[in-house]
Amino acid sequence: SNLELARARQAIGMARPAEVHRWESDLARRHQAAREAVAQRQQAEIALNRLLHRPLEERFTAEQVDLTDPGLMIGPAQLHAYIDNEWRLGILRDFMVQEALAGSPELRQMDAAIAAQERSLLSASRAFTSPSISLQGELTRSIEGGAGSEGGLDLPFPVSLPQADDTEWAVGVRAALPLIDGGARRAAERRAEENLARLRLARQATAERIEQRLRSTFHDASASYMGIELSQAAAEAADENLRLVTDAYGRGAIPIIELLDAQNAALVADLLAANALYDFLIDLMGMQRAMGKLGFLLSPSEGQAFFDRLSEYFASAPTPSRTH
């Protein structure tokens, strides 16, 4: 449209041929940029197909996502109810931290390791008073036979003599409690205590990292959510300014440089407005990852249970004190 306008201006003597050539050059560059964008999109599609273990050249259509998508778990309706002031926003952050710590797989792994180490410490402590008990058994049987085993002396004795039993067995129980072992039991107990203390400190550090990551991503999501409306307002203002500048350029009231500035400003504002939603979605996915809960993986009942816990948490939260 700018090229057609420049040609019309040249036809009536209001523009020089250089102005038309500039728009022709810009149009060629934009076509090249469009082809590069198509190539990047196709490369991204191939990479996604590989991650999904699909045929690499298989085509698909990505579904447009907005803030009303139920898979987000937290949309505008839920957010506006809890972010209308800084106090409620802080309560929401505390609830998210509680949910993250309760469902973190990293912490569950640490808890299992601590429980195992506590059993090891208990075993090492009982070694001072618990004897080592062992059960022993033995079975022996004599088997005789073969050439020459028969046909011995057959003497006529008036009485029969007792014969030895072919099978012998013995069972015994052994209990031992070492009194002196060179301090090995005490060393094992101290080692178990130190390992348990190390695991507890590691769990505390893991919990702090989870809380830090969640609170940081929450602030990112809050900022990007607020930026959606602001970027849309900026895009509308830039588009209106471009409309006025284009009209003035068509009437010959302003030079081409002002039109270029207005077009660049409108383009940047439109791109920021388009990306604002996806920036928020990326931050929201990061926040849900830090929580250990992804909204699109939750069933409707699980999502409802999440909001029930959120309502109960807000109901039990203390009201902010006023300062005079």
Side-chain angles (χ1 to χ4, degrees):
S1 61
N2 288 331
L3 177 58
E4 294 175 357
L5 182 59
R7 287 171 177 171
R9 284 164 50 88
Q10 181 188 13
I12 61 177
M14 295 179 58
R16 293 174 302 203
E19 192 169 316
V20 176
H21 297 325
R22 180 167 188 169
W23 289 119
E24 291 175 345
S25 175
D26 186 70
L27 182 62
R29 288 189 296 105
R30 297 302 173 90
H31 279 301
Q32 181 181 1
R35 292 189 177 92
E36 292 176 354
V38 171
Q40 292 177 0
R41 190 261 182 197
Q42 293 172 341
Q43 292 172 7
E45 186 177 85
I46 292 174
L48 181 58
N49 281 331
R50 181 185 64 83
L51 292 175
L52 298 177
H53 196 58
R54 292 154 47 107
L56 297 184
E57 292 291 342
E58 186 172 281
R59 305 300 301 270
F60 61 89
T61 301
E63 182 180 357
Q64 187 72 20
V65 180
D66 56 21
L67 297 180
T68 61
D69 194 310
L72 298 181
M73 186 172 72
I74 298 181
Q78 295 85 359
L79 282 177
H80 282 303
Y82 297 106
I83 63 174
D84 54 350
N85 58 64
E86 186 61 30
W87 173 76
R88 295 179 67 85
L89 199 61
I91 297 299
L92 181 59
R93 285 196 299 269
D94 294 339
F95 172 76
M96 295 295 189
V97 170
Q98 176 181 288
E99 288 287 308
L101 296 179
S104 171
E106 294 93 340
L107 292 183
R108 288 200 297 268
Q109 180 181 6
M110 297 295 297
D111 291 337
I114 290 175
Q117 189 59 39
E118 288 175 346
R119 295 292 302 175
S120 298
L121 176 59
L122 181 61
S123 177
S125 300
R126 289 178 175 176
F128 291 94
T129 57
S130 299
S132 299
I133 300 176
S134 60
L135 176 64
Q136 297 178 345
E138 182 179 358
L139 176 64
T140 304
R141 183 172 184 179
S142 299
I143 301 176
E144 298 180 357
S149 61
E150 298 179 354
L153 295 176
D154 187 10
L155 300 178
F157 286 100
V159 295
S160 60
L161 297 177
Q163 301 294 324
D165 193 355
D166 293 341
T167 302
E168 297 180 357
W169 61 273
V171 177
V173 178
R174 178 176 179 271
L177 181 63
L179 300 179
I180 300 175
D181 57 2
R185 287 177 294 175
R186 176 63 63 182
E189 184 183 31
R190 292 294 302 273
R191 182 166 56 250
E193 290 175 349
E194 294 298 330
N195 289 335
L196 181 59
R198 177 182 58 82
L199 288 174
R200 287 173 175 170
L201 286 176
R203 188 195 186 281
Q204 181 180 358
T206 302
E208 291 174 352
R209 285 195 299 268
I210 292 174
E211 181 176 357
Q212 177 191 6
R213 183 170 65 244
L214 177 59
R215 292 185 181 275
S216 299
T217 55
F218 188 95
H219 283 293
D220 291 338
S222 300
S224 58
Y225 177 74
M226 296 299 181
I228 295 176
E229 184 176 356
L230 296 176
S231 61
Q232 290 176 350
E236 293 175 359
D239 291 339
E240 178 63 19
N241 177 67
L242 177 60
R243 186 186 66 81
L244 297 176
V245 171
T246 302
D247 182 69
Y249 172 74
R251 292 183 286 105
I254 59 174
I256 187 176
I257 190 64
E258 293 189 22
L259 176 61
L260 292 174
D261 291 340
Q263 286 184 333
N264 289 332
L267 176 61
V268 171
D270 290 340
L271 291 176
L272 291 177
N275 289 331
L277 173 61
Y278 297 101
D279 291 338
F280 168 71
L281 294 178
I282 292 174
D283 293 336
L284 182 62
M285 291 299 105
M287 185 181 69
Q288 293 184 9
R289 170 62 184 87
M291 286 181 57
K293 289 184 176 66
L294 296 177
F296 56 87
L297 296 180
L298 296 180
S299 63
S301 59
E302 291 174 335
Q304 184 60 43
F306 173 83
F307 286 110
D308 291 342
R309 293 193 301 271
L310 178 59
S311 300
E312 294 175 0
Y313 190 86
F314 263 85
S316 61
T319 57
S321 59
R322 296 184 178 180
T323 57
H324 299 279

